[in-house]
């Protein structure tokens, strides 16, 4: 079974809206801030301190994701109470449940009770319930949501904010994970300020292999379960004046799996 996702997004910010200052201990080229930074969220389509937002928000910074070694979006359900995430199978759609409410989007033909956003752009659950990489912050909004972010949702919404290009410093990173159950994951990114303070470019990638759900068939013991993921993301950030900011990105993910 193969899954292919390609996402192109672009946004223009006016009135000098600054990029979120993530609560993480990351170097400037990684798009982070120091540990003494306030946690900034964009739950209401503007950057605000978490304690000033009149909503229930769980914010997971890049530092938290790295410490807990989260490599798949569904892993965040282990630290967000009441959240259940599953990519689903060929006969059922992705399952996303907050506050105990969910529907099978394939069987029912309805939208899910939880909406997903990639950098504020609405996306389908299947496009983001995959391996995650080069993420700056994940915000989980609990409770009914209006159309402020694009779509209404009765249970809540989840926003994945990827790291934006740094306009001042050249840099990058690389990270890898090897497990004793034949799992191998490697990811990295390179950041280039093309015009210092004005134009920046960032490219990030992921390569991952594992034994999927580790369920084997008794009829074919020689062929076991497997999953292979290859992904790349290119981002451009353009700030021509103090009042205008343009962000655009292109993402491509290909996942091939054999499940029993």
């Amino acid at each position: 079974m193969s899954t292919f996702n390609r996402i192109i997004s672009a946004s223009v910010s006016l009135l000098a809206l600054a990029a979120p200052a993530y609560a993480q201990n990351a170097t400037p080229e990684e798009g982070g801030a120091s540990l003494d930074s306030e946690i900034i969220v964009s739950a209401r389509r503007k950057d605000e301190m978490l304690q000033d937002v009149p909503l229930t928000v769980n914010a997971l910074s890049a530092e938290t994701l790295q410490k807990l070694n989260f490599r798949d979006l569904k892993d965040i359900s282990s630290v967000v109470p009441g959240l259940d995430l599953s990519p689903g199978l060929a006969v059922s759609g992705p399952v996303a449940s907050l506050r105990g409410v969910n529907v099978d989007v394939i069987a029912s033909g309805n939208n899910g009770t939880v909406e997903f956003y990639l950098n504020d752009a609405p996306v389908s659950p299947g496009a983001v319930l995959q391996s995650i990489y080069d993420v700056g912050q994940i915000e989980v909004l609990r409770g009914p949501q209006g159309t402020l972010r694009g779509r209404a949702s009765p249970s809540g919404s989840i926003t994945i904010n990827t790291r934006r290009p740094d306009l001042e410093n050249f840099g990058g990173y690389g990270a890898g994970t090897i497990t004793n159950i034949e799992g191998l994951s490697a990811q990295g990114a390179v950041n280039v300020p093309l015009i210092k303070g004005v134009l920046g470019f960032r490219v990030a990638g992921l390569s991952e292999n594992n034994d999927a759900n580790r369920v084997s068939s008794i009829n074919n013991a020689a062929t076991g379960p497997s999953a292979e993921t290859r992904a790349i993301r290119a981002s451009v950030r353009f700030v021509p004046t103090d009042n205008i900011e343009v962000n655009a990105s292109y993402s491509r993910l290909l996942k091939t799996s054999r499940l029993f």
Side-chain angles (χ1 to χ4, degrees):
M1 179 178 65
S2 296
T3 302
F4 173 75
N5 293 305
R6 182 168 55 191
I7 300 173
I8 301 175
S9 64
S11 65
V12 178
S13 300
L14 302 177
L15 303 179
L17 296 181
Y22 304 119
Q24 58 182 330
N25 186 16
T27 56
E29 62 269 17
E30 293 178 342
S34 61
L35 282 174
D36 58 358
S37 301
E38 298 287 350
I39 298 179
I40 305 298
V41 296
S42 56
R44 297 192 295 176
R45 298 300 297 272
K46 59 182 179 179
D47 298 336
E48 301 174 284
M49 290 190 295
L50 180 59
Q51 61 266 32
D52 295 335
V53 178
L55 301 170
T56 303
V57 183
N58 294 102
L60 303 177
S61 67
E63 183 185 45
T64 300
L65 298 174
Q66 181 180 4
K67 282 184 176 181
L68 298 177
N69 197 26
F70 286 167
R71 304 189 305 275
D72 196 289
L73 185 62
K74 67 178 183 293
D75 294 338
I76 69 172
S77 59
S78 63
V79 295
V80 179
L83 176 64
D84 180 30
L85 297 175
S86 172
L89 300 173
V91 295
S92 62
V95 175
S97 171
L98 260 174
R99 297 151 50 95
V101 180
N102 70 76
V103 296
D104 187 328
V105 295
I106 292 181
S108 67
N110 294 323
N111 293 330
T113 62
V114 178
E115 291 293 341
F116 291 84
Y117 300 88
L118 181 63
N119 296 328
D120 279 337
V123 294
S124 65
V128 291
L129 283 174
Q130 308 281 351
S131 299
I132 56 176
Y133 63 102
D134 203 40
V135 171
Q137 186 161 283
I138 297 177
E139 299 176 17
V140 180
L141 279 67
R142 306 165 66 87
Q145 304 297 316
T147 58
L148 178 65
R149 305 184 69 85
R151 296 175 180 172
S153 55
S155 297
S157 65
I158 300 176
T159 300
I160 301 97
N161 293 311
T162 60
R163 288 174 172 169
R164 297 179 182 178
D166 189 292
L167 302 181
E168 301 294 336
N169 302 288
F170 175 88
Y173 75 95
T177 301
I178 300 176
T179 70
N180 59 358
I181 53 175
E182 300 184 13
L184 175 63
S185 176
Q187 62 174 282
V190 175
N191 187 93
V192 180
L194 301 176
I195 302 177
K196 195 169 183 178
V198 177
L199 180 64
F201 176 76
R202 186 181 185 92
V203 60
L206 167 75
S207 177
E208 187 173 65
N209 296 278
N210 56 59
D211 286 341
N213 59 3
R214 303 183 66 198
V215 176
S216 300
S217 170
I218 61 175
N219 298 317
N220 188 358
T223 302
S226 65
E228 179 181 284
T229 302
R230 302 291 183 267
I232 189 171
R233 181 187 303 116
S235 305
V236 176
R237 183 181 176 194
F238 180 47
V239 186
T241 70
D242 293 338
N243 300 319
I244 299 176
E245 178 176 331
V246 179
N247 290 279
S249 67
Y250 169 85
S251 300
R252 184 180 187 273
L253 183 145
L254 177 63
K255 182 174 183 178
T256 303
S257 58
R258 179 171 58 242
L259 303 173
F260 298 99

